[in-house]
Each structure stands twice: as structure tokens, then as C-alpha cells.
Amino acid sequence: MAEENVTLVTEFVLMGLTDQPGLQVPLFLVFLVIYLITMMGNLGLIALIWKDPHLHTPMYFFLSSLALADSCTSSSVTPKMLIIFLSQNHKISLAECLTQFYCFGFSVTTECFLLSVMAYDRYVAICNPLLYPMVMSNSLCIQLIGASYFVGFLHLTIHVSLLVRLTFCRSNIIHYYYCEILQLFRISCTDPTVNTHLVLIFSAIIQVFTFMTIITSYSFVLFAILKKKSEKGRSKAFSTCGAHLLSVSLFYGTLFFMYVHPGSGPTEDKDKMFSLFYTIVIPLLNPFIYSLRNKEVIGTLRRIMKR
């Protein structure tokens, strides 16, 4: 037993979404289609915004950055999950595991701040339309986007640096479909208390700060909308903000349940289903939520298709 305990684990086994053989191929096809649509939607939206000079405005710069973050989130998790569905080899090396977690956590953290920045952008556009060109300058947009990505980079660098100090010798089985950090804590031979507390603290700070920024911004936006005399203006503003709030509610609801809610931890199938929202479903829905009801994006798409 003593010899077994000092044998360090250098690779893990991901159990995937389900262990039922009959579901592997159908789930592979479903998630393959979802992944392809997700990448086409997000990368297509980025290309559309880049190609049309009319869309070179702050709102669309933020939207393209969000689409890039969503693409990274989906790509960090889905390809490995698809391999697991069809392969008998569910192994993933420690280095690959840490890289997957880093890429996933980086993009999710970045998305939190991008959503708050987009909410602030809508607040300025609707509540102070005359000052909008001066307040939301190109330089400020670049700084806000850069800051969002930098915080994501810094946040995950801290967690991965602390993960490296952990050793794994009890088990190499991860009962999940990707290298989820709380699952890694559960199979660690080193006391992960510090890591666990930091995950809780940083998750709470980031989610509460960005969520409150979003709620505050949209509260002012709501009051401004209600004051509008034009029914057309109200309808357009409600349409834009309603789409944003739908995405935010799904995103923050699942994140809060997984990483901030007391006693939460992905150990059961229902928790896997919740995590599917921010790993798979949100990146799929975002480009359609933000663009399908946007007349400028639809107009640009129609012009390109007619050429």
C-alpha cells in the first residue's frame, strides 16, 4: 500500500457523459452537429463583422470578441468529448488536462467580463446616445476587450499554478467529460483546501462583480426605455436588451450553481447536464441570440449572399 501511494498519476481517464454503449454513437452525432453549428455561427459572425465596414462599431467589436471566446470555450471541451464517444481509449495526460482546463477557464472568465462590458456599452448607447461616440471610442473599446482577456489570462494562471503543486496517486478516474477543476481536487493526494477556497473566492468575486455590473447597466437601460415615447424605439431597445439578458441568465445561472452555490460540486449526472449549458449550449446560442434579431447583421448577411 505504501508503494502504491507514492506512485504518481501522470494521466487520467475521462468517463464522459454516460457509460451506456447504446448512447455513444447517437450522442456523438448530436454533439458533432452542435459543435459544427457553434463554430460556423461564431466564426461566421466574426467574419461578417470583419468584412462589413458598417459593423465596425463598439457593439460589434465586443460581439466579435464574445464570439471568439465562445469558440474557444467550445473547442476546449467538445473535440475531446467527441473522441471519447467513439474511442475505447479515454486517457488524457496531465499536461493535456491542465491545458484543457486552462483554455476552458480562460475563455469563460473572459466571457464574464465581455458580457459586463457589452451591458455597459448598451447603457451608454441608450441612456446617453449623444455622448456615445465620445465615451465609447475605439481606443476605449480595445482597452476594455484587452482588459477582459488579460483578467481571464491572469485568473487561470493563478489556478493552474496552484494545480501544479497537487499530486495525484489515489485514482486517475475523472467522472466527467472534461478536466473539471473540482473533480481534480477530489482525486488529489495533496490537501486541496487552499485551491478550493481560492476557486470559491475568485468565482464569487468575478461572478458577483460582473453580474452586478450587468444588472445595474440594464436597470438604467430599462428606465430609459420606459421613458421613450416612440413605440418603435422601445421595441428595438427591448429586443436588443432582452437577447442580452437571456444569454446572461443562462450563463450566470449555471456558473453560479456549479462554483459559488454552497456545497455544489459536479458529482452526479444532473450536474453534468447543468455544466453542458456553459460548455456547449451557451456557445451555440450566443451568435444566434445576438444576431438573428439584429437587422444590421441580417442585412449584411443578405448583401453578401446576393453577391
Side-chain angles (χ1 to χ4, degrees):
M1 288 298 292
E3 184 179 351
E4 182 182 349
N5 285 338
V6 296
T7 303
L8 300 182
V9 172
T10 58
E11 62 181 14
F12 303 101
V13 177
L14 293 172
M15 297 306 292
L17 273 179
T18 178
D19 57 358
Q20 298 184 31
L23 294 177
Q24 301 301 319
V25 173
L27 286 176
F28 169 82
L29 295 174
V30 169
F31 284 103
L32 176 62
V33 171
I34 289 176
Y35 181 63
L36 293 176
I37 295 174
T38 298
M39 298 308 292
M40 288 175 59
N42 284 290
L43 297 181
L45 184 59
I46 293 172
L48 201 65
I49 292 170
W50 176 80
K51 187 175 181 61
D52 190 349
H54 296 95
L55 300 181
H56 293 178
T57 61
M59 183 176 77
Y60 294 107
F61 286 148
F62 296 139
L63 186 54
S64 61
S65 298
L66 181 68
L68 179 60
D70 280 331
S71 299
C72 292
T73 300
S74 184
S75 296
S76 65
V77 174
T78 311
K80 185 64 178 179
M81 183 172 66
L82 293 175
I83 293 173
I84 290 173
F85 281 133
L86 296 185
S87 173
Q88 296 297 321
N89 183 7
H90 294 187
K91 293 180 180 179
I92 182 171
S93 70
L94 177 60
E96 289 175 322
C97 190
L98 294 178
T99 301
Q100 184 189 55
F101 168 68
Y102 186 96
C103 294
F104 165 74
F106 163 74
S107 55
V108 169
T109 302
T110 300
E111 184 164 345
C112 286
F113 285 92
L114 287 174
L115 288 170
S116 63
V117 166
M118 291 173 69
Y120 175 71
D121 173 72
R122 291 301 83 203
Y123 157 72
V124 178
I126 294 174
C127 298
N128 299 286
L130 297 179
L131 297 176
Y132 183 75
M134 291 183 292
V135 174
M136 299 303 295
S137 61
N138 288 338
S139 61
L140 179 60
C141 290
I142 294 172
Q143 291 172 11
L144 290 173
I145 292 172
S148 299
Y149 277 92
F150 176 74
V151 173
F153 163 79
L154 185 62
H155 180 220
L156 266 295
T157 299
I158 293 172
H159 286 306
V160 172
S161 299
L162 289 171
L163 266 177
V164 171
R165 78 178 183 87
L166 301 182
T167 56
F168 304 92
C169 58
R170 294 196 185 97
S171 171
N172 68 339
I173 305 296
I174 299 178
H175 295 276
Y176 224 57
Y177 59 94
Y178 72 98
C179 286
E180 206 279 330
I181 189 170
L182 299 182
Q183 283 289 336
L184 291 175
F185 293 163
R186 291 179 180 275
I187 61 175
S188 171
C189 296
T190 311
D191 183 9
T193 302
V194 173
N195 301 64
T196 305
H197 287 166
L198 283 178
V199 167
L200 176 62
I201 292 169
F202 280 121
S203 296
I205 291 173
I206 290 172
Q207 291 181 42
V208 170
F209 172 75
T210 54
F211 185 70
M212 290 307 298
T213 301
I214 293 169
I215 293 300
T216 302
S217 297
Y218 282 119
S219 295
F220 284 109
V221 167
L222 179 61
F223 286 122
I225 292 174
L226 294 175
K227 291 179 181 179
K228 287 181 178 290
K229 296 181 179 180
S230 169
E231 187 66 30
K232 183 179 180 181
R234 284 188 185 183
S235 177
K236 182 179 179 181
F238 268 124
S239 176
T240 302
C241 296
H244 291 200
L245 286 173
L246 174 61
S247 175
V248 166
S249 299
L250 290 172
F251 182 69
Y252 278 92
T254 51
L255 276 184
F256 183 86
F257 178 84
M258 297 299 293
Y259 295 107
V260 179
H261 187 269
S264 65
T267 57
E268 301 176 0
D269 288 342
K270 66 176 183 179
D271 299 304
K272 292 181 184 179
M273 297 304 106
F274 273 107
S275 66
L276 281 176
F277 273 95
Y278 60 81
T279 57
I280 307 294
V281 177
I282 297 297
L284 169 69
L285 295 180
N286 271 348
F288 302 102
I289 288 175
Y290 285 98
S291 60
L292 280 182
R293 300 186 69 179
N294 189 304
K295 294 181 180 179
E296 292 176 326
V297 173
I298 297 299
T300 299
L301 183 60
R302 286 174 178 171
R303 287 195 298 271
I304 292 176
M305 292 178 66
K306 287 180 180 179
R307 293 176 184 174

